[in-house]
Amino acid sequence: MYVKDHMTKNPITITPDTTVLKALEIMGRNHFHRLPVTDEKGKLVGLVTEGLVNESSGKNSTSLSVYELNYLLSRTKAEDIMIKDVTTASPDIFLEEAAALMIEKSINVLPVIDDDRTVIGIITEKDMFQAFIELMGYHHQGTKFVIVCEDKPGVFAKLSGLFAANNANLESCAVYHNDERGTEVVIKATGEISVESMTAILKDEGFNVTRVIQTTKEGETVVYS
């Protein structure tokens, strides 16, 4: 899963001489909270966020009237308040690399730039959440099996073989390690075999199936165990 597959492509940008009031209007009209700042060639020179505007203008603590505040914002330019040392991402890095970078830098947005620093996209923490939902097939029809198993070579091959032998297609898979429950494999599968039959097959082969959750074609969720 690459950044380029989940970023917002060709995002709206502003120039350094755009007024902060105009930037706020653009963000409000489009329901987002950040704007890359680019030069006349589309190259990244900064980033303006709604939080930065509030902080720099004292919007949340000022005694100025709405009219006075708007006048102040109309006289302030993006270049006066923008973040200049912007952390960015390449479109070809994996999502987990971008997520790790956000955590490391304590930020929730990354402008995406090409080799010439031209802004080609933007990716936010919301995009990360959406990618995770898609990866796990949350909204898709299928049955999710939560299986506690040994963490050793060959276990997953055996599991996938059992599903394949029963014409069940693996839609998604994740492995979790935790101190309380050990190693958990979460498999989402589709196929003609019934939930009860597949569960019984897994248990007969010695696997500890701790939970089974089915998402129907209509989007309803049924918990079997």
Side-chain angles (χ1 to χ4, degrees), residues 13 35-39 41-47 83-84 86-88 111-113 116-119:
T13 62
L35 280 170
V37 184
T38 60
D39 63 16
K41 295 182 180 180
K43 299 184 187 302
L44 184 71
V45 294
L47 181 71
I83 301 168
K84 296 179 181 178
V86 185
T87 302
T88 62
V112 184
I113 59 175
D116 295 324
R117 291 191 63 80
T118 300
V119 176

Side-chain angles (χ1 to χ4, degrees), residues 23-32 50:
L24 284 175
E25 290 175 359
I26 294 172
M27 286 189 276
R29 185 169 61 249
N30 293 279
H31 308 291
F32 48 66
E50 189 174 61

Side-chain angles (χ1 to χ4, degrees), residues 147-150 152-166 168 170 173 185 187 198 201-208:
I147 305 160
V148 176
C149 57
E150 294 182 89
K152 66 179 185 180
V155 171
F156 184 70
K158 183 178 179 180
L159 270 173
S160 58
L162 290 173
F163 281 95
N166 290 279
L170 301 188
C173 178
V185 177
I187 291 175
M198 193 67 234
I201 290 170
L202 291 168
K203 290 183 176 180
D204 287 345
E205 290 294 326
F207 288 105
N208 181 14

Side-chain angles (χ1 to χ4, degrees), residues 11-223:
I12 295 173
T13 62
I14 57 175
T15 58
D17 61 354
T18 301
T19 67
V20 172
L21 184 62
K22 180 64 175 179
L24 284 175
E25 290 175 359
I26 294 172
M27 286 189 276
R29 185 169 61 249
N30 293 279
H31 308 291
F32 48 66
H33 308 284
R34 306 100 173 172
L35 280 170
V37 184
T38 60
D39 63 16
E40 66 279 0
K41 295 182 180 180
K43 299 184 187 302
L44 184 71
V45 294
L47 181 71
V48 168
T49 70
E50 189 174 61
L52 187 62
V53 172
N54 293 339
E55 180 182 339
S56 63
S57 66
K59 183 179 179 181
N60 296 328
S61 59
T62 184
S63 60
L64 295 176
S65 69
V66 173
Y67 302 104
E68 291 172 322
L69 183 59
N70 284 344
Y71 176 77
L72 174 64
L73 296 177
S74 70
R75 303 289 293 181
T76 306
K77 296 182 179 181
E79 63 185 350
D80 298 326
I81 67 165
M82 68 184 186
I83 301 168
K84 296 179 181 178
D85 184 18
V86 185
T87 302
T88 62
S90 161
D92 296 314
I93 66 172
F94 289 112
L95 274 183
E96 58 265 36
E97 294 180 69
L101 188 57
M102 286 185 183
I103 292 172
E104 177 189 345
K105 300 293 185 179
S106 298
I107 55 179
N108 51 27
V109 61
L110 290 169
V112 184
I113 59 175
D114 63 15
D115 293 339
D116 295 324
R117 291 191 63 80
T118 300
V119 176
I120 59 174
I122 191 168
I123 190 161
T124 68
E125 60 182 5
K126 183 178 178 180
D127 297 319
M128 298 290 184
F129 293 145
Q130 185 60 42
F132 178 72
I133 290 171
E134 292 175 9
L135 178 64
M136 298 306 298
Y138 180 73
H139 294 299
H140 300 161
Q141 180 183 4
T143 304
K144 185 180 294 183
F145 296 86
V146 182
I147 305 160
V148 176
C149 57
E150 294 182 89
D151 184 13
K152 66 179 185 180
V155 171
F156 184 70
K158 183 178 179 180
L159 270 173
S160 58
L162 290 173
F163 281 95
N166 290 279
N167 295 316
N169 186 46
L170 301 188
E171 298 290 330
S172 66
C173 178
V175 179
Y176 301 94
H177 303 279
N178 65 81
D179 296 333
E180 181 182 350
R181 297 183 303 278
T183 300
E184 287 180 325
V185 177
V186 181
I187 291 175
K188 188 160 190 176
T190 57
E192 297 300 322
I193 188 171
S194 70
V195 174
E196 295 82 1
S197 297
M198 193 67 234
T199 302
I201 290 170
L202 291 168
K203 290 183 176 180
D204 287 345
E205 290 294 326
F207 288 105
N208 181 14
V209 181
T210 60
R211 202 173 187 200
V212 179
I213 306 168
Q214 185 177 53
T215 302
T216 67
K217 185 177 181 180
E218 294 74 28
E220 297 178 356
T221 298
V222 181
V223 180

